[in-house]
mmCIF file of all heavy atoms in Angstrom:
data_model
loop_
_atom_site.group_PDB
_atom_site.id
_atom_site.type_symbol
_atom_site.label_atom_id
_atom_site.label_comp_id
_atom_site.label_asym_id
_atom_site.label_seq_id
_atom_site.Cartn_x
_atom_site.Cartn_y
_atom_site.Cartn_z
ATOM 1 N N CYS B 325 44.835 -36.805 -35.454
ATOM 2 C CA CYS B 325 45.955 -37.591 -35.972
ATOM 3 C C CYS B 325 45.529 -38.380 -37.207
ATOM 4 O O CYS B 325 44.395 -38.876 -37.287
ATOM 5 C CB CYS B 325 46.451 -38.561 -34.904
ATOM 6 S SG CYS B 325 46.916 -37.737 -33.369
ATOM 7 N N SER B 326 46.452 -38.524 -38.155
ATOM 8 C CA SER B 326 46.177 -39.268 -39.378
ATOM 9 C C SER B 326 47.195 -40.393 -39.566
ATOM 10 O O SER B 326 48.321 -40.313 -39.090
ATOM 11 C CB SER B 326 46.253 -38.341 -40.602
ATOM 12 O OG SER B 326 45.296 -37.320 -40.502
ATOM 13 N N ILE B 327 46.760 -41.429 -40.297
ATOM 14 C CA ILE B 327 47.697 -42.430 -40.788
ATOM 15 C C ILE B 327 47.565 -42.483 -42.302
ATOM 16 O O ILE B 327 46.456 -42.463 -42.842
ATOM 17 C CB ILE B 327 47.413 -43.829 -40.177
ATOM 18 C CG1 ILE B 327 47.641 -43.790 -38.661
ATOM 19 C CG2 ILE B 327 48.311 -44.896 -40.829
ATOM 20 C CD1 ILE B 327 47.389 -45.113 -37.960
ATOM 21 N N TYR B 328 48.711 -42.496 -42.979
ATOM 22 C CA TYR B 328 48.720 -42.562 -44.437
ATOM 23 C C TYR B 328 49.266 -43.918 -44.871
ATOM 24 O O TYR B 328 50.371 -44.317 -44.482
ATOM 25 C CB TYR B 328 49.608 -41.443 -45.004
ATOM 26 C CG TYR B 328 49.966 -41.613 -46.463
ATOM 27 C CD1 TYR B 328 48.984 -41.662 -47.446
ATOM 28 C CD2 TYR B 328 51.303 -41.741 -46.855
ATOM 29 C CE1 TYR B 328 49.312 -41.839 -48.783
ATOM 30 C CE2 TYR B 328 51.650 -41.894 -48.191
ATOM 31 C CZ TYR B 328 50.645 -41.966 -49.150
ATOM 32 O OH TYR B 328 50.966 -42.135 -50.481
ATOM 33 N N LEU B 329 48.446 -44.658 -45.657
ATOM 34 C CA LEU B 329 48.894 -45.934 -46.223
ATOM 35 C C LEU B 329 49.572 -45.643 -47.551
ATOM 36 O O LEU B 329 48.916 -45.339 -48.552
ATOM 37 C CB LEU B 329 47.716 -46.891 -46.428
ATOM 38 C CG LEU B 329 46.844 -47.209 -45.207
ATOM 39 C CD1 LEU B 329 45.790 -48.263 -45.559
ATOM 40 C CD2 LEU B 329 47.708 -47.700 -44.038
ATOM 41 N N ASP B 330 50.890 -45.681 -47.531
ATOM 42 C CA ASP B 330 51.685 -45.380 -48.724
ATOM 43 C C ASP B 330 51.510 -46.500 -49.759
ATOM 44 O O ASP B 330 51.147 -47.633 -49.434
ATOM 45 C CB ASP B 330 53.151 -45.268 -48.292
ATOM 46 C CG ASP B 330 54.073 -44.948 -49.454
ATOM 47 O OD1 ASP B 330 53.748 -44.029 -50.226
ATOM 48 O OD2 ASP B 330 55.111 -45.630 -49.594
ATOM 49 N N GLU B 331 51.807 -46.145 -50.989
ATOM 50 C CA GLU B 331 51.732 -47.105 -52.107
ATOM 51 C C GLU B 331 52.437 -48.422 -51.765
ATOM 52 O O GLU B 331 51.994 -49.490 -52.159
ATOM 53 C CB GLU B 331 52.438 -46.447 -53.313
ATOM 54 C CG GLU B 331 52.037 -47.008 -54.638
ATOM 55 C CD GLU B 331 52.555 -46.141 -55.797
ATOM 56 O OE1 GLU B 331 53.188 -45.100 -55.519
ATOM 57 O OE2 GLU B 331 52.316 -46.516 -56.952
ATOM 58 N N SER B 332 53.539 -48.328 -51.008
ATOM 59 C CA SER B 332 54.322 -49.529 -50.696
ATOM 60 C C SER B 332 53.940 -50.160 -49.359
ATOM 61 O O SER B 332 54.666 -51.009 -48.844
ATOM 62 C CB SER B 332 55.810 -49.166 -50.663
ATOM 63 O OG SER B 332 56.070 -48.387 -49.510
ATOM 64 N N ALA B 333 52.816 -49.744 -48.774
ATOM 65 C CA ALA B 333 52.447 -50.235 -47.436
ATOM 66 C C ALA B 333 52.328 -51.748 -47.381
ATOM 67 O O ALA B 333 51.791 -52.373 -48.306
ATOM 68 C CB ALA B 333 51.136 -49.585 -46.991
ATOM 69 N N ASP B 334 52.793 -52.316 -46.282
ATOM 70 C CA ASP B 334 52.635 -53.750 -46.028
ATOM 71 C C ASP B 334 51.260 -53.963 -45.393
ATOM 72 O O ASP B 334 50.884 -53.253 -44.443
ATOM 73 C CB ASP B 334 53.746 -54.211 -45.076
ATOM 74 C CG ASP B 334 53.560 -55.645 -44.618
ATOM 75 O OD1 ASP B 334 53.971 -56.541 -45.367
ATOM 76 O OD2 ASP B 334 52.996 -55.857 -43.517
ATOM 77 N N LEU B 335 50.507 -54.916 -45.918
ATOM 78 C CA LEU B 335 49.135 -55.113 -45.456
ATOM 79 C C LEU B 335 49.054 -55.422 -43.956
ATOM 80 O O LEU B 335 48.244 -54.829 -43.234
ATOM 81 C CB LEU B 335 48.461 -56.249 -46.254
ATOM 82 C CG LEU B 335 47.086 -56.692 -45.725
ATOM 83 C CD1 LEU B 335 46.083 -55.536 -45.746
ATOM 84 C CD2 LEU B 335 46.551 -57.869 -46.529
ATOM 85 N N GLU B 336 49.881 -56.352 -43.486
ATOM 86 C CA GLU B 336 49.779 -56.733 -42.063
ATOM 87 C C GLU B 336 50.111 -55.565 -41.147
ATOM 88 O O GLU B 336 49.458 -55.350 -40.131
ATOM 89 C CB GLU B 336 50.705 -57.940 -41.777
ATOM 90 C CG GLU B 336 50.238 -59.240 -42.434
ATOM 91 C CD GLU B 336 48.771 -59.559 -42.139
ATOM 92 O OE1 GLU B 336 48.367 -59.495 -40.962
ATOM 93 O OE2 GLU B 336 48.023 -59.855 -43.107
ATOM 94 N N LYS B 337 51.171 -54.809 -41.480
ATOM 95 C CA LYS B 337 51.521 -53.637 -40.673
ATOM 96 C C LYS B 337 50.360 -52.637 -40.683
ATOM 97 O O LYS B 337 50.003 -52.071 -39.653
ATOM 98 C CB LYS B 337 52.780 -52.947 -41.215
ATOM 99 C CG LYS B 337 54.050 -53.726 -40.993
ATOM 100 C CD LYS B 337 55.273 -52.947 -41.473
ATOM 101 C CE LYS B 337 56.474 -53.890 -41.537
ATOM 102 N NZ LYS B 337 57.680 -53.235 -42.077
ATOM 103 N N ALA B 338 49.782 -52.436 -41.882
ATOM 104 C CA ALA B 338 48.681 -51.476 -42.002
ATOM 105 C C ALA B 338 47.542 -51.875 -41.075
ATOM 106 O O ALA B 338 47.033 -51.058 -40.305
ATOM 107 C CB ALA B 338 48.207 -51.417 -43.454
#
Side-chain angles (χ1 to χ4, degrees):
Chain B
C325 304
S326 299
I327 295 180
Y328 166 61
L329 304 184
D330 180 47
E331 202 169 358
S332 71
D334 173 83
L335 171 60
E336 291 309 312
K337 289 184 194 177

